[in-house]
């Protein structure tokens, strides 16, 4: 067994951990001074992994249960006013008044550990109304669709272009999860859309996202840093969206966007 050390800013950890698990890591720990150490079996291609993740060093390791050791680093997390996120291997009960959501860090993006997921969860608390129809685009683990249902949404659909993510999301958010994207959804189908995806994808899908919004509905859009928010917002406005609010958490941003009323009012 060997490990590689990766130097990365804390805000990149969530996405990087998911990538490392996908490459077959036997365990991951966060280092005190910043960065990650990922463990692999000896038959893994050390040089390829070190190059792929820009490792700063590697070292041989004694055989241990590194999965169990890495799990010990994941603690329950309070997000917003309503949510209690718990690694799926723990049985912690939620504090009174909070919804418990079990997550598996690393299985798919959207575990709640990343700031953009937290921004989306907090915004769902604000904008989900009883009975509203919700569409989660690029659902990943399904955490946002699950959260919307817990908050009282009437009908929740979710989609992702990654079949593996869809399989995971169906286990969390039910069967209304399909392989595909927002272009498969009928016009004006949702009163609320949430998408935690890349800024490039949001810009590309802007016409479809706005097409699927009902009159008076909003889209909660994240997955980008605050310095990218103005450009993403400008593209959405160019496509007919109305920028209602910008929310920030550390270096990350979320845009709340509505669709123009018929007649441009």
């Amino acid at each position: 067994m060997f490990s590689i050390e990766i130097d990365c800013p804390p805000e990149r950890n969530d996405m990087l951990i998911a990538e490392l698990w996908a490459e077959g890591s036997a365990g991951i720990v966060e280092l005190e001074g910043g960065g990650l150490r990922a463990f692999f079996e000896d038959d893994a291609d050390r040089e390829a992994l070190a190059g792929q993740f820009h490792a700063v060093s590697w070292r041989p390791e004694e055989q241990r249960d590194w999965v169990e050791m890495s799990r010990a680093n994941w603690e329950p997390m309070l997000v917003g006013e309503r949510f209690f996120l718990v690694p799926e291997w723990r049985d912690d009960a939620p504090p009174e008044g909070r919804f418990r959501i079990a997550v598996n860090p690393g299985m798919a993006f959207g575990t709640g550990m990343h700031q953009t997921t937290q921004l989306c969860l907090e915004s769902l608390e604000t904008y989900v109304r009883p009975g509203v129809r919700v569409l989660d685009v690029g659902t990943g683990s399904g955490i946002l669709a699950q959260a919307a249902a817990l908050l009282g949404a009437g009908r929740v659909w979710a989609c992702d272009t990654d079949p593996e993510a869809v399989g995971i999301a169906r286990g969390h958010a039910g069967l209304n999860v399909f392989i595909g994207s927002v272009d498969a959804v009928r016009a004006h189908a949702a009163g609320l859309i949430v998408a935690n995806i890349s800024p490039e994808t949001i810009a590309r899908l802007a016409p479809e996202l706005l097409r699927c919004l009902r009159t008076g509905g909003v889209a909660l859009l994240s997955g980008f840093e605050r310095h990218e928010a103005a450009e993403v917002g400008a593209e959405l406005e160019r496509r007919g969206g109305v920028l209602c609010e910008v929310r920030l958490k550390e270096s990350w941003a979320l845009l709340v966007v509505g669709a123009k009323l018929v007649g441009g009012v």
Side-chain angles (χ1 to χ4, degrees), residues 162-246:
D162 181 352
E164 183 178 355
V166 168
I168 294 169
R170 282 176 177 163
H172 296 154
L175 297 178
N176 290 331
V177 185
F178 63 91
I179 299 173
S181 191
V182 65
D183 57 358
V185 179
R186 65 178 174 82
H188 314 301
L192 190 152
I193 295 174
V194 61
N196 186 16
I197 49 184
S198 71
E200 296 81 9
T201 304
I202 289 175
R204 177 171 56 83
L205 294 180
E208 296 295 327
L209 292 167
L210 296 170
R211 177 185 64 82
C212 291
L213 269 184
R214 301 181 69 178
T215 299
V218 295
L220 311 176
L221 308 174
S222 192
F224 44 87
E225 296 187 76
R226 62 169 66 198
H227 72 269
E228 299 169 306
E231 184 176 350
V232 176
E235 178 62 17
L236 287 157
E237 289 181 315
R238 189 177 75 83
R239 295 291 187 172
V242 177
L243 183 60
C244 305
E245 184 184 358
V246 179

Side-chain angles (χ1 to χ4, degrees), residues 121-194:
L121 289 169
E122 293 164 359
S123 299
L124 286 171
E125 290 181 356
T126 302
Y127 287 97
V128 169
R129 297 288 182 265
V132 67
R133 294 189 172 193
V134 176
L135 173 64
D136 178 10
V137 179
T139 190
S141 67
I143 185 174
L144 300 180
Q146 183 181 3
L150 288 170
L151 289 168
R155 190 83 181 269
V156 181
W157 297 273
C159 60
D160 204 293
T161 57
D162 181 352
E164 183 178 355
V166 168
I168 294 169
R170 282 176 177 163
H172 296 154
L175 297 178
N176 290 331
V177 185
F178 63 91
I179 299 173
S181 191
V182 65
D183 57 358
V185 179
R186 65 178 174 82
H188 314 301
L192 190 152
I193 295 174
V194 61

Side-chain angles (χ1 to χ4, degrees), residues 35-91:
L36 302 171
R37 181 170 297 281
F39 301 85
F40 293 89
E41 299 294 344
D42 286 328
D43 57 357
D45 189 333
R46 174 172 55 82
E47 291 187 4
L49 289 166
Q52 178 180 347
F53 294 103
H54 307 289
V56 297
S57 66
W58 78 277
R59 71 186 187 196
E61 300 284 354
E62 60 180 292
Q63 200 71 29
R64 295 184 189 176
D65 189 347
W66 294 106
V67 171
E68 187 60 34
M69 290 185 65
S70 66
R71 283 183 170 187
N73 289 314
W74 295 101
E75 295 290 335
M77 174 183 291
L78 300 175
V79 176
E81 299 294 328
R82 305 294 306 278
F83 296 109
F84 181 66
L85 308 186
V86 187
E88 65 178 15
W89 52 83
R90 297 182 58 134
D91 59 2

